[in-house]
């Protein structure tokens, strides 16, 4: 018995050194802390940070900052920055890049301007120490970003400019750190500046030119190896972080840039994005938040009045500087109070970048222990305040946006109960069409995507149904991985068209997505007859699709719209779908239409406050619209808006259009839309 107790005590000797026990403890904290604190309406992030304080080396000493904790906390920090870059809406970022630049300038300069005189004249520190400490006020870490992501406001303009401003201000602070250290060590010569500029150029070229091409090639070649996509993404994150270190920057800069580099290749509604967010939010990011708490030494407050005064001063100045930057941004761009609070909440939390600046200054003996300890207390209080402010502001923004949507319900074209039907002829060719369906599906719709197979009404019908369902199970699993519900439907009918039409009526679908047969020798028979039957017997919006490559590998959408299309009943619906698709795969749209259609589309996008990279080309002679084939490139997606016979926008040039496109656009991805 004594031997057993000794053996047991070895395992529970503090601090814990058994990796299995350490990992178990961390997992239980990640599981229970948010659940328990949610009962008293405290954000889960605070629970994780407080847990880190309790179990850390300055608390119960259950854990120490060993290699195990450092590795996982580093992964979590890089993950936060990567997801911030990945979830950034590129179209919104382009539209608001000037606002991001101004906010980055404000959130960098205001805390610096406020902080320097406080440190120099009130706390009595020297010029270098005061300037370095003041620059620390300018940094912030997106610790509360998981809150806006979870609540669903990550695409709000306030979030977009804050994320953009984060990378600008943190980069500027880290450059200041490098300059101060170079000055302190006497190395601030021409070679220092040449090295910094060359490193920045090389790093940018690799990340924005080489990495996206390699990633696009990898995703296309390894389409069936879905697990390898996630491993590849992880490898890119750490490669970028290491590359940033080599270039003389912090790893968090590399992680954020890797998110920007892969942004267009990983749609927000894809299965890969779901895996990235799920694993990060479940494990790596909570681990980082716990590690932040482990840095906090509450006993610092009791070490003397000077330590308490410095800690309180640093915290107050930091919070005031960030609030003032958010307030000025609100005044300049006329944001709401909730948007201002969201900007403040996201930009007021200090963690990794702040600690990096102070630790470097402390080790170089520019800063003393009072500043170091005060910074640790600052990290605790700013993370707590930022969590409360961010969650409250995000929830109010959601409530306000829902009220606006209710007011605009009569004019919006999104179907709250949209139902998509996907008839399948050849499951081997439908994975890209399923990806398309997932990307354009209204996220608020509770209806699943119905995957339909139609078998002939003969003696083998029952066996054929079973075989078809078995083949289609893989498509259902792929949809499930993207958190999209899909169900299988099998029906018996005399021909596929009749089965599609009957099922569309029975299930009251809104949208039908059909594949484009590959056998061009029978294009008129296989496409024409089935498509015409579905067109003539339904009034649903119909997409006829053929994709030569994964959707994320396309660089532009070329959209041809005939005159009077804006007069059709389903006009707003297909416009919304194109906007959603362009946003998901982050590509610009080049539209060919006449002046009246252009004016109407611009007015509609403005009324919906939609930001889209959109250019117009005047096209009036539809007898020669196939001239567009001379301008299309191999990685373009060509979309033609057609019309049913007898509709107001139907013209003779659209008759037998699948056969015409097969002849002129055979080597390109293409979609025909019938509103």
């Amino acid at each position: 018995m004594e031997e057993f107790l000794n053996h047991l005590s070895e395992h529970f000797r503090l601090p814990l050194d058994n990796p299995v026990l350490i990992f178990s403890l961390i997992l239980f904290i990640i599981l229970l802390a948010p659940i328990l604190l949610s009962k008293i309406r405290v954000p889960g992030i605070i629970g994780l940070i407080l847990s880190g304080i309790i179990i850390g080396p300055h608390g119960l000493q259950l854990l120490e900052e060993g290699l195990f904790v450092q590795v996982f906390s580093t992964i979590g920090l890089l993950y936060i920055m990567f997801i911030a870059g990945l979830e950034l809406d590129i179209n919104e970022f382009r539209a608001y890049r000037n606002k991001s630049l101004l906010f980055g300038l404000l959130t960098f300069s205001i805390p610096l301007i406020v902080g320097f005189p406080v440190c120099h004249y009130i706390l009595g520190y020297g010029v270098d120490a005061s300037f370095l400490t003041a620059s620390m006020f300018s940094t912030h870490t997106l610790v509360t970003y998981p809150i806006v992501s979870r609540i669903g406001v990550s695409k709000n303009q306030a979030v977009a400019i804050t994320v953009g401003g984060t990378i600008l201000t943190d980069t500027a602070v880290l450059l200041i750190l490098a300059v101060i250290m170079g000055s302190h060590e006497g190395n601030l010569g021409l070679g220092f500046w040449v090295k910094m500029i060359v490193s920045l150029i090389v790093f940018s070229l690799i990340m924005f030119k080489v990495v996206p091409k390699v990633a696009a090639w990898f995703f296309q070649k390894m389409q069936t190896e879905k697990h390898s996509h996630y491993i590849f993404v992880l490898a890119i994150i750490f490669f970028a972080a290491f590359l940033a270190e080599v270039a003389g920057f912090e790893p968090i800069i590399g992680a954020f840039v890797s998110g920007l580099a892969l942004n267009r290749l990983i749609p927000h509604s894809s299965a890969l994005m779901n895996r990235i967010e799920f694993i990060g939010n479940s494990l790596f990011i909570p681990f980082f938040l716990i590690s932040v708490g482990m840095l906090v030494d509450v006993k610092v407050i009791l070490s003397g009045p000077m330590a308490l005064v410095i800690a309180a001063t640093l915290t107050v100045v930091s919070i005031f500087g960030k609030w003032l930057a958010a307030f000025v941004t609100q005044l300049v761009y006329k944001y709401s109070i909730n948007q201002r609070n969201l900007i403040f909440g996201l930009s007021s939390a200090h963690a990794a970048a702040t600690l990096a600046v102070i630790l470097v200054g402390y080790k170089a003996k520019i800063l003393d222990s009072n500043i170091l300890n005060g910074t640790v207390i600052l990290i605790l209080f700013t993370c707590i305040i930022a969590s409360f402010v961010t969650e409250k502001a995000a929830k109010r923004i959601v409530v306000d946006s829902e009220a606006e949507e209710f007011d605009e319900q009569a004019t919006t074209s999104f179907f709250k109960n949209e139902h998509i039907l996907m008839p399948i002829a050849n499951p081997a060719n439908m994975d890209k069409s399923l990806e398309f369906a997932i990307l354009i599906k209204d996220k608020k719709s509770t209806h699943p995507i119905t995957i339909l197979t139609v078998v002939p009404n003969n003696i083998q019908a029952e066996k054929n149904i079973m075989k078809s369902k078995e083949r289609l199970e893989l498509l259902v699993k792929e949809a499930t991985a993207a958190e999209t519900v899909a169900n299988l439907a099998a029906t018996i009918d005399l021909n596929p068209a009749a089965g599609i039409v009957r099922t569309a009526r029975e299930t009251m679908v809104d949208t039908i997505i059909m594949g484009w047969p590959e056998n061009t020798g029978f294009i008129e028979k296989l496409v024409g007859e089935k498509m015409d039957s579905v067109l003539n017997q339904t009034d649903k919006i119909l997409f006829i699709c053929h994709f030569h490559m994964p959707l994320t590998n396309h660089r532009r959408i070329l959209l041809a719209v005939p005159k009077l299309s804006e007069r059709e009943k389903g006009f707003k619906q297909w416009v919304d779908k194109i906007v959603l698709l362009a946003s998901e795969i982050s590509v610009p749209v080049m539209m060919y239409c006449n002046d009246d259609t252009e004016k109407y589309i611009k007015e509609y996008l403005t009324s919906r406050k939609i930001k889209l990279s959109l250019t117009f080309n005047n096209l009036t002679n539809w007898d020669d619209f196939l001239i567009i084939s001379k301008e299309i490139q191999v990685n373009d997606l060509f979309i033609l808006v057609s019309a049913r016979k007898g509709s107001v926008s139907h013209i003779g040039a659209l008759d037998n259009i699948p056969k015409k496109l097969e002849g002129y656009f055979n080597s390109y991805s293409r979609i025909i839309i019938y509103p």
Side-chain angles (χ1 to χ4, degrees), residues 89-97 99 155-157 160 335 575-576 578-584 586-589 601-602 604-615:
D89 190 316
I90 295 298
N91 290 327
E92 290 276 339
F93 184 71
R94 286 170 181 161
Y96 303 124
R97 59 181 176 270
K99 294 183 179 181
K155 293 185 182 298
N156 189 279
Q157 185 182 141
Y335 287 149
V575 170
D576 285 338
I578 299 300
V579 168
L580 186 57
L581 177 64
S583 175
E584 287 282 357
S586 300
V587 297
V589 177
I601 288 176
K602 285 181 176 178
Y604 176 67
L605 295 179
T606 301
S607 68
R608 291 285 310 280
K609 299 179 181 178
I610 293 173
K611 297 295 181 181
L612 182 67
S613 179
L614 178 62
T615 56

Side-chain angles (χ1 to χ4, degrees), residues 13-292:
R13 185 177 56 205
L14 300 181
L16 300 175
D17 57 4
N18 186 327
V20 176
L21 197 56
I22 293 174
F23 202 66
S24 299
L25 176 63
I26 294 294
L27 289 179
F28 275 112
I29 290 173
I30 293 172
L31 173 66
L32 297 176
I35 295 175
L36 295 176
L37 287 182
S38 66
K39 303 296 183 181
I40 56 175
R41 297 185 178 181
V42 174
I45 283 179
I46 295 176
L48 296 171
I49 294 175
L50 293 177
S51 299
I53 297 173
I54 294 170
I55 68 172
H58 306 297
L60 299 178
Q61 299 181 358
L62 299 180
L63 294 183
E64 61 180 356
E65 292 182 69
L67 180 62
F68 183 83
V69 174
Q70 289 177 8
V71 168
F72 272 85
S73 64
T74 301
I75 294 174
L77 173 60
L78 298 181
Y79 227 96
I80 288 177
M81 298 303 295
F82 171 72
I83 289 179
L86 195 62
E87 289 191 341
L88 189 66
D89 190 316
I90 295 298
N91 290 327
E92 290 276 339
F93 184 71
R94 286 170 181 161
Y96 303 124
R97 59 181 176 270
N98 293 332
K99 294 183 179 181
S100 291
L101 183 62
L102 179 60
F103 172 71
L105 181 63
L106 291 173
T107 198
F108 166 74
S109 60
I110 290 178
L112 189 66
I113 293 170
V114 172
F116 180 81
V118 171
C119 294
H120 187 57
Y121 296 107
I122 297 179
L123 298 181
Y125 285 98
V127 174
D128 283 352
S130 298
F131 196 66
L132 190 58
T133 305
S135 70
M136 172 269 290
F137 296 140
S138 299
T139 67
H140 59 261
T141 302
L142 296 173
V143 169
T144 59
Y145 187 83
I147 293 177
V148 302
S149 181
R150 171 173 53 83
I151 295 177
V153 296
S154 59
K155 293 185 182 298
N156 189 279
Q157 185 182 141
V159 177
I161 71 162
T162 306
V163 172
T166 298
I167 194 65
L168 295 173
T169 187
D170 280 2
T171 301
V173 170
L174 295 172
L175 288 175
I176 285 178
L177 175 63
V179 171
I180 291 177
M181 291 306 299
S183 174
H184 183 71
E185 296 169 1
N187 298 326
L188 200 62
L190 179 62
F192 171 85
W193 295 106
V194 171
K195 179 184 176 182
M196 178 178 289
I197 294 171
V198 171
S199 297
L200 181 61
I201 293 173
V202 172
F203 173 73
S204 301
L205 287 175
I206 292 175
M207 292 307 303
F208 290 113
K209 295 296 182 182
V210 178
V211 168
K213 291 181 179 179
V214 172
W217 173 85
F218 182 86
F219 290 152
Q220 185 169 5
K221 293 296 181 182
M222 305 292 289
Q223 290 184 51
T224 57
E225 302 293 330
K226 301 299 182 182
H227 66 280
S228 65
H229 292 185
Y230 180 74
I231 301 300
F232 176 82
V233 169
L234 274 185
I236 291 296
I237 297 172
F238 286 94
F239 169 73
F242 173 73
L243 206 62
E245 271 192 313
V246 171
F249 308 110
E250 281 296 306
I252 56 175
I253 303 297
F256 182 82
V257 171
S258 68
L260 293 179
L262 297 178
N263 185 292
R264 193 180 54 80
L265 298 171
I266 305 177
H268 299 144
S269 300
S270 65
L272 179 56
M273 186 67 169
N274 180 45
R275 294 184 181 105
I276 290 170
E277 290 185 330
F278 177 79
I279 297 176
N281 293 331
S282 300
L283 184 62
F284 294 137
I285 294 176
F287 219 120
F288 163 70
L289 296 171
I290 292 172
S291 71
V292 169

Side-chain angles (χ1 to χ4, degrees), residues 508-527:
M508 295 185 290
V509 300
D510 307 293
T511 305
I512 302 175
I513 299 176
M514 298 172 60
W516 200 306
E518 295 181 356
N519 192 338
T520 56
F522 296 95
I523 187 68
E524 186 173 0
K525 180 179 179 181
L526 295 179
V527 176

Side-chain angles (χ1 to χ4, degrees), residues 437-453:
I438 292 171
L439 294 184
I440 69 167
K441 184 178 184 291
D442 185 3
K443 304 305 181 285
K444 295 182 180 179
S445 172
T446 57
H447 284 295
I449 296 174
T450 299
I451 302 174
L452 172 69
T453 181

